[in-house]
Amino acid sequence: MKIAIGNDHAGTGYKKSVVDYLKNKGIEVINYGTNSGDSVDYPDFVHPVADDVENKKVDFGIIICGSGNGANMTANKHQGVRSALCWMGEITKLAREHNDANILSIPARFVSEHQAVDMVKIFLETPFEGGRHQKRVDKIPVEN
């Protein structure tokens, strides 16, 4: 499995914890995020993750910013990306089961690092149910 990860300054510590977890599981990680606490612009670190997901260079993406909203909005501008802003395990599980989310957006200012790692675990271990959800997911992209 290969994961792309991106973060702004609010998510630097979280990214380290998530990357450590992923590497301990033998998962390859492509790091597009900042490694500093200095203020940066989240789109600069989210677009490369979304590009990799959109072009199927990775299996999933993880993005982290303060509220998770800006990163999530940015990622969802990409066709083929279904980024889910999650703040608890149950929402993370449903994002995968019902929405086939392929990017997990984590709000660093609203969850603990431990919760973030737990959500990553749930996200990666939960399969998409398909069935009645597939037709809904198929309707997400905008046809021009």
Side-chain angles (χ1 to χ4, degrees):
M1 185 178 291
K2 189 185 288 190
I3 306 290
I5 191 166
N7 62 283
D8 71 1
H9 50 280
T12 301
Y14 285 65
K15 178 186 64 182
K16 182 182 180 333
S17 295
V18 168
V19 168
D20 287 348
Y21 168 78
L22 294 171
K23 287 186 174 181
N24 284 336
K25 291 289 187 185
I27 297 170
E28 183 180 348
V29 178
I30 300 171
N31 176 16
Y32 291 113
T34 184
N35 293 314
S36 168
D38 296 337
S39 182
V40 296
D41 299 330
Y42 57 81
D44 297 337
F45 303 97
V46 172
H47 281 303
V49 173
D51 283 338
D52 279 3
V53 171
E54 184 175 27
N55 295 308
K56 299 187 184 336
K57 293 180 180 177
V58 296
D59 299 290
F60 295 105
I62 298 167
I63 53 179
I64 310 165
C65 75
S67 72
N69 278 308
N72 193 52
M73 291 175 189
T74 300
N76 277 318
K77 296 296 181 189
H78 293 255
Q79 288 297 313
V81 165
R82 291 173 307 282
S83 181
L85 172 57
C86 299
W87 56 92
M88 65 174 68
E90 294 86 351
I91 290 171
T92 306
K93 186 173 190 285
L94 288 172
R96 285 289 306 130
E97 286 179 344
H98 293 193
N99 309 116
D100 198 18
N102 51 19
I103 294 182
L104 171 62
S105 182
I106 299 171
R109 293 191 179 117
F110 297 92
V111 299
S112 69
E113 284 185 37
H114 177 76
Q115 286 174 298
V117 171
D118 282 347
M119 288 188 308
V120 168
K121 179 179 187 289
I122 291 165
F123 188 81
L124 298 178
E125 291 179 356
T126 303
F128 175 50
E129 285 183 358
R132 72 185 194 277
H133 304 293
Q134 184 63 59
K135 73 176 182 174
R136 297 167 187 155
V137 170
D138 291 342
K139 291 180 179 183
I140 293 173
V142 174
E143 301 283 333
N144 290 329

